Amino acid sequence: MRNSYSRLLSWHAAHIRSVGHVEFGATILRTRSKALHDVLAYVATDDKYTVAQLRDLAADGTFYKVQFRNLWLATLGRVVIIQALEETDTEMGASDLEFGMTCLKHANNYLPRIQEHQQFHRLEIEILKERARIEEARMLLEANEFLKNLFYGYLLSDLDNPTISRDPETYKSWMTGFNRPFIENGLLPLKPSPIRQPGFNDLNTENAPACTGGPKVSVLMTCYMPDREEFLTAVNSILRQSWQNLELIIVDDASPIEFEPVLEEAENSDPRVRVIRQEENGGTYRARNTGITAATGAFITGQDSDDWSHPERLATQVEYLLASPSTPGVVVEAIRTDNALVRTFPGRIPHGPCEVSFMLRAELAREVGGYLEARKGADGEFRRRVEKYTGREVEILAKPLYIIRIGHDSLSRADFMPGWSHPVRRAFWNSTRHWHENTLPAQLRLTPKSAAPIPIPARFKVVPPRTAPEYDVVFVGDWRAYTGTQRAMIDEITALHRTGEKIGILHLESVMSPSKETSRLSSEVQAMINAGEVGLVIPDEDASTRVAILHDPTILHFTAHTSINLTAGTLIIMPDMPPPSKGAGDTIYLPEKCDQLASKIFDSRVIWTSSDPEVSRLLSSYEPDVLVDPHKCPVAFNPRHWSHVWRSLPHVPPIVGRHSANFEAMWPERFTTAAKIWPSDGSGEVRILGDARSYLRKYGKTKFPLDWVVFRDKEIRPEAFLRGLDFFVYFPDKSYPQGFSREAVEAAVCGAVVILPKSFEEAHGDMALYAEPEEIPSLIEYYSSDRSAFSKLVLKNRHLSYSFDNQLYTSHVRYLEELTNTAETRTPERHA
């Protein structure tokens, strides 16, 4: 008999197949979850092998006899390799890299060498380059026409880099390849290095024809404890610009006195250089604002103190802006290299828009108020704010006029990895985007005395707080979607907030989320963060809370456990989905394992509770392995949020709808039953909100009935959807242990007649009608034809909705906290 972990993997593998390999691979990299590798392995092997088992097969030589889904195997290899490169344990990293290459190489043997699969073939070549297997990499590259020409053939050029080839004779061919982006864009090529060895600090070209006259450009460069060679390389790249009418304003961010000589060297090198010395360290963007104030040019742009600008950069940007006066600004493309001018970095592309190169008119820069004073991330915010303020997009010139030096201790290096950015970066980005999109353009202007318009994350504050944040309650969940789970947590937050509790939220991705967003939280939650109603807990930053509340236990199985630094006195798990009954086939989560993981991750006492009587009964069967609340958890519900969409008369013909999640068990066992409940015979219109593809899979269909209207997540607000329904009808498979539906409560408040299975009566009481499937058509016909009966029923439901007492919910949370304290006193070994 298959064990519970195998059943768990099988269930999630079936779900992930509908997601697709590209999206799921991106999810693993974005969340840094290694626990999801087993799910990926199960998809790749049709539910036969975990990663550990595949490693054993690779060790004994039988790996190659397995029948694989090669796209999924390539995805497994790719994520294992990229995460192995980040591994701090050298031995583990080497082992993971070897296994990842075994998967990737085997899959690539079967995947066509086309653009669709280039990320897999490219990574194999990149790793061979890292391992100094140059000829093998070259052979694969020569056989791949797409990769040979990707971004001017940079992969082939890098193999000729003497630093990689270990052959000084390849310098000439490397130089030819490295210059392709410049030559093919009509730019001056680089001159050979005097020592015929690639080096960032030797970047140079022949002198470009001087552009004299024209408006002055103020180039802002900030620095702190600059490395002399790197700093002077950046300085000289500006002083050698063909655009002569410029000033270079260097704002030193309070470097120690020993760096004064190099600052003086730059200051004395050219009369166009000015050095401003800050009295205290305030970060790059405060220093840039100092530069904006001091600038005397008509245009302002930036330059990092360890990068290099092509001598035609400023001229190209100025000429574009002069020819396009309505364009608010322009950025150029950058090439990313290391100190040896190698552009190949596994999992990354070598080029992209360069935020620091943003050039705009000085008066516009001052008008919008300059940069947000944060330690990181304000480049992109400034550009996007200019776009929102002016109502016009900044132009991106696809010319490689800037070279970024990476592979050193830059401010941003630790915040970005292939497929991943630090949660604090995403938090800052989300807050700024919400501010821009929900603020009138005139109100986007900053003033010296204005408070920060968004909450600046602690790590990004100019003066970080000295102590870690402390909360009363933190809600843990995936906040990207706006489904019933998120709406329930928002109502619970509101109820607790009114009692004076300090609330935080911790965003951890769930593989069950219907959202296609990669990082943005739902606008409703982001509004609460921006307004300061809740604090955003960054996973790897220290924080503590008396109580944490989690609705989706699957998160515990698959999150990156070691990257969570929130500690909780009590963790309350309120699952919306039922656990498996003992020996069940469908296993969405394992309560005992979740309980152990929760205790370990949050260093907390754990208790389970539910508002669904069916879920509560199943949870109680897991005692004493888990602590279960013996009482039904009260529902927190805010009817006023829904009352503005209420109505009392049905449509003609009636509109029948339901909310759907991508679970087959949420549909009736037989197709004939589903067809009777949600008809397609013209007797009414059927509307579905949510991912209804599970309907197709369950009944072996390829398309929905013609008179169905299916809305996916975020295509329509739930309030608008429910307002349009006359009847909300929800009937899951009889084997699915569910007895409460929040969406049914919301539908009732919005004026729909709710029809549910009789098993839901215990939780919903008089707010719904209860019937067998064959009785539903006659119920709908009766209430559609008798408008008075319909109106009385929805009026009654509206009245009943106000009977929810949110104080009961808040009191119950405190009761659960006390209960865990008592249980811990009695059985301290349970969480040892």
Side-chain angles (χ1 to χ4, degrees):
M1 180 180 292
R2 303 177 73 201
N3 63 34
S4 57
Y5 184 57
S6 295
R7 295 197 301 271
L8 177 79
L9 293 179
S10 291
W11 195 97
H12 286 280
H15 176 74
I16 291 307
R17 286 187 187 99
S18 67
V19 172
H21 71 279
V22 174
E23 185 175 330
F24 188 55
T27 297
I28 295 177
L29 292 178
R30 190 169 59 247
T31 59
R32 298 185 122 177
S33 170
K34 291 189 176 182
L36 286 172
H37 291 185
D38 274 347
V39 178
L40 195 47
Y42 251 50
V43 180
T45 63
D46 289 324
D47 294 6
K48 293 183 179 69
Y49 300 105
T50 64
V51 166
Q53 290 168 333
L54 287 178
R55 284 178 181 269
D56 290 341
L57 295 178
D60 65 22
T62 58
F63 180 92
Y64 305 100
K65 297 179 181 180
V66 177
Q67 292 293 316
F68 290 106
R69 294 174 181 255
N70 287 306
L71 269 176
W72 291 91
L73 181 65
T75 303
L76 175 62
R78 182 171 183 267
V79 299
V80 169
I81 288 169
I82 289 175
Q83 292 180 333
L85 295 173
E86 305 169 21
E87 179 59 59
T88 55
D89 184 320
T90 305
E91 185 176 341
M92 182 181 295
S95 174
D96 288 350
L97 184 61
E98 188 64 37
F99 172 70
M101 280 295 281
T102 297
C103 297
L104 187 65
K105 287 172 68 68
H106 183 72
N108 279 346
N109 286 334
Y110 298 93
L111 297 180
R113 296 180 176 91
I114 56 178
Q115 181 174 354
E116 180 184 352
H117 304 142
Q118 61 97 1
Q119 62 177 339
F120 304 123
H121 293 291
R122 177 164 55 90
L123 183 60
E124 182 180 0
I125 292 168
E126 290 166 345
I127 297 303
L128 290 172
K129 189 251 341 175
E130 293 287 309
R131 292 176 158 190
R133 292 159 62 174
I134 306 305
E135 292 310 313
E136 190 177 347
R138 192 184 301 276
M139 181 181 66
L140 290 176
L141 194 52
E142 291 288 355
N144 194 317
E145 288 299 319
F146 176 79
L147 288 182
K148 273 176 65 177
N149 293 293
L150 181 65
F151 193 70
Y152 309 99
Y154 81 99
L155 288 166
L156 200 56
S157 173
D158 270 3
L159 294 178
D160 286 332
N161 187 309
T163 308
I164 304 299
S165 69
R166 307 297 182 188
D167 181 359
E169 296 302 317
T170 61
Y171 179 83
K172 184 177 179 180
S173 58
W174 166 79
M175 194 73 191
T176 299
F178 195 85
N179 270 322
R180 271 189 64 185
F182 307 111
I183 293 172
E184 293 183 21
N185 281 281
L187 302 171
L188 288 171
L190 300 177
K191 292 196 303 184
S193 163
I195 61 173
R196 296 184 64 80
Q197 185 71 22
F200 198 105
N201 293 335
D202 292 327
L203 288 170
N204 202 0
T205 69
E206 298 292 346
N207 292 328
C211 301
T212 57
K216 181 191 285 187
V217 177
S218 296
V219 182
L220 310 182
M221 180 187 295
T222 66
C223 66
Y224 178 69
M225 299 174 60
D227 174 271
R228 180 181 179 276
E229 295 299 321
E230 294 180 358
F231 178 60
L232 294 180
T233 294
V235 168
N236 289 329
S237 76
I238 296 301
L239 298 179
R240 292 170 183 164
Q241 291 288 308
S242 63
W243 191 267
Q244 300 284 293
N245 191 10
L246 63 83
E247 62 177 352
L248 175 58
I249 301 175
I250 300 172
V251 184
D252 177 70
D253 200 17
S255 295
I257 190 65
E258 58 263 33
F259 291 90
E260 185 62 24
V262 70
L263 296 174
E264 291 181 352
E265 185 176 355
E267 192 170 25
N268 295 331
S269 65
D270 192 295
R272 296 174 295 174
V273 178
R274 271 196 292 161
V275 176
I276 299 174
R277 296 160 176 85
Q278 301 278 76
E279 292 185 3
E280 62 180 13
N281 185 278
T284 294
Y285 303 109
R286 178 178 286 182
R288 285 194 196 170
N289 285 339
T290 297
I292 290 174
T293 301
T296 61
F299 294 99
I300 287 177
T301 189
Q303 169 72 34
D304 272 351
S305 61
D306 51 5
D307 294 339
W308 183 85
S309 281
H310 189 280
E312 296 172 274
R313 177 200 149 193
L314 296 186
T316 301
Q317 290 181 279
V318 172
E319 288 164 3
Y320 185 93
L321 289 175
L322 291 176
S324 306
S326 64
T327 300
V330 62
V331 300
V332 302
E333 190 168 73
I335 299 172
R336 302 180 181 93
T337 83
D338 66 9
N339 278 316
L341 300 182
V342 174
R343 291 171 285 176
T344 303
F345 299 91
R348 303 187 187 191
I349 57 174
H351 60 95
C354 176
E355 295 284 11
V356 76
S357 73
F358 182 30
M359 180 182 285
L360 73 165
R361 292 166 180 82
E363 58 183 320
L364 178 57
R366 295 189 181 100
E367 192 174 330
V368 298
Y371 293 86
L372 279 175
E373 292 197 0
R375 288 282 176 180
K376 298 180 183 181
D379 287 283
E381 185 284 323
F382 181 55
R383 174 181 56 79
R384 292 191 299 270
R385 178 156 39 97
V386 167
E387 290 179 326
K388 290 292 181 181
Y389 181 76
T390 62
R392 297 185 295 274
E393 290 188 0
V394 168
E395 185 67 27
I396 299 174
L397 299 181
K399 288 191 173 186
L401 291 161
Y402 196 97
I403 299 183
I404 296 173
R405 188 195 309 254
I406 63 175
H408 57 89
D409 295 328
S410 68
L411 278 175
S412 61
R413 185 185 179 198
D415 289 350
F416 296 100
M417 296 291 179
W420 175 86
S421 60
H422 195 282
V424 75
R425 289 271 183 178
R426 298 198 293 269
F428 183 73
W429 187 85
N430 287 340
S431 288
T432 61
R433 288 296 293 266
H434 186 84
W435 172 44
H436 295 165
E437 293 167 0
N438 295 277
T439 305
L440 294 173
Q443 296 174 339
L444 291 173
R445 299 173 62 179
L446 301 179
T447 65
K449 294 183 180 180
S450 61
I454 61 167
I456 305 294
R459 280 185 57 201
F460 283 13
K461 289 181 181 292
V462 172
V463 182
R466 294 184 177 182
T467 59
E470 297 178 356
Y471 296 94
D472 295 308
V473 183
V474 170
F475 284 81
V476 182
D478 189 321
W479 294 96
R480 294 172 297 164
Y482 186 55
T483 65
T485 297
Q486 285 75 34
R487 298 194 294 273
M489 289 193 288
I490 288 173
D491 281 355
E492 290 165 7
I493 288 171
T494 302
L496 289 164
H497 192 268
R498 286 174 179 167
T499 67
E501 304 278 46
K502 183 180 179 182
I503 309 296
I505 66 169
L506 172 62
H507 172 65
L508 298 177
E509 280 197 34
S510 168
V511 292
M512 308 310 301
S513 173
S515 178
K516 300 298 181 183
E517 290 285 354
T518 58
S519 65
R520 297 197 72 178
L521 310 186
S522 72
S523 60
E524 295 78 10
V525 172
Q526 192 63 56
M528 298 172 75
I529 295 169
N530 278 29
E533 295 172 13
V534 298
L536 182 62
V537 179
I538 304 300
D540 67 353
E541 294 183 2
D542 290 340
S544 62
T545 181
R546 285 186 7 250
V547 176
I549 297 174
L550 181 144
H551 281 250
D552 181 0
T554 65
I555 289 174
L556 296 167
H557 281 298
F558 301 119
T559 193
H561 307 147
T562 57
S563 65
I564 300 173
N565 289 346
L566 172 70
T567 58
T570 296
L571 176 70
I572 303 172
I573 303 180
M574 301 179 175
D576 299 317
M577 299 172 288
S581 56
K582 296 292 185 177
D586 279 355
T587 304
I588 303 175
Y589 63 91
L590 304 171
E592 306 103 320
K593 184 64 175 177
C594 288
D595 197 272
Q596 294 165 11
L597 289 169
S599 179
K600 180 179 179 180
I601 293 168
F602 299 103
D603 191 25
S604 65
R605 303 173 292 274
V606 183
I607 188 167
W608 297 69
T609 188
S610 180
S611 303
D612 188 321
E614 296 293 333
V615 174
S616 292
R617 279 190 277 270
L618 279 174
L619 286 174
S620 64
S621 69
Y622 286 87
E623 291 188 304
D625 295 322
V626 302
L627 178 63
V628 180
D629 170 26
H631 305 98
K632 175 186 172 185
C633 182
V635 175
F637 185 72
N638 180 11
R640 291 178 178 82
H641 177 73
W642 303 88
S643 61
H644 70 286
V645 298
W646 173 83
R647 59 179 181 75
S648 61
L649 296 176
H651 296 88
V652 180
I655 298 174
V656 180
R658 59 160 280 169
H659 191 281
S660 178
N662 194 21
F663 308 132
E664 294 176 29
M666 291 185 172
W667 295 92
E669 180 182 2
R670 299 182 182 278
F671 172 72
T672 52
T673 304
K676 187 176 296 183
I677 296 173
W678 302 281
S680 56
D681 57 3
S683 60
E685 181 181 308
V686 173
R687 297 181 184 177
I688 311 292
L689 174 60
D691 190 342
R693 288 175 295 172
S694 53
Y695 167 92
L696 303 177
R697 293 196 304 274
K698 179 147 191 167
Y699 304 126
K701 305 296 180 181
T702 58
K703 57 185 178 181
F704 298 111
L706 291 176
D707 47 1
W708 278 26
V709 180
V710 180
F711 298 97
R712 293 293 293 272
D713 180 49
K714 293 195 174 180
E715 288 183 344
I716 185 173
R717 287 190 61 81
E719 297 89 339
F721 173 80
L722 294 173
R723 181 184 184 183
L725 302 183
D726 299 307
F727 297 90
F728 181 93
V729 185
Y730 176 62
F731 269 69
D733 193 307
K734 287 185 177 180
S735 66
Y736 187 64
Q738 182 182 9
F740 175 74
S741 167
R742 179 186 171 85
E743 293 82 5
V745 174
E746 295 167 346
V749 179
C750 287
V753 171
V754 175
I755 307 176
L756 300 170
K758 292 180 180 179
S759 58
F760 282 66
E761 188 169 7
E762 180 181 349
H764 286 265
D766 293 337
M767 288 193 72
L769 301 175
Y770 305 97
E772 296 296 332
E774 58 271 15
E775 299 172 326
I776 292 173
S778 60
L779 275 174
I780 292 176
E781 183 180 359
Y782 170 75
Y783 281 100
S784 297
S785 59
D786 191 329
R787 298 165 71 86
S788 175
F790 182 95
S791 180
K792 288 179 181 178
L793 187 57
V794 297
L795 281 170
K796 181 191 72 172
N797 287 343
R798 186 183 190 192
H799 174 74
L800 287 172
S801 71
Y802 283 88
S803 65
F804 285 98
D805 187 349
N806 289 340
Q807 289 184 351
L808 291 177
Y809 171 80
T810 59
S811 297
H812 198 73
V813 169
R814 295 190 184 98
Y815 154 76
L816 293 175
E817 185 181 7
E818 294 171 2
L819 186 61
T820 58
N821 290 335
T822 303
E824 185 73 10
T825 301
R826 291 176 179 172
T827 57
E829 70 281 358
R830 209 174 70 80
H831 291 293

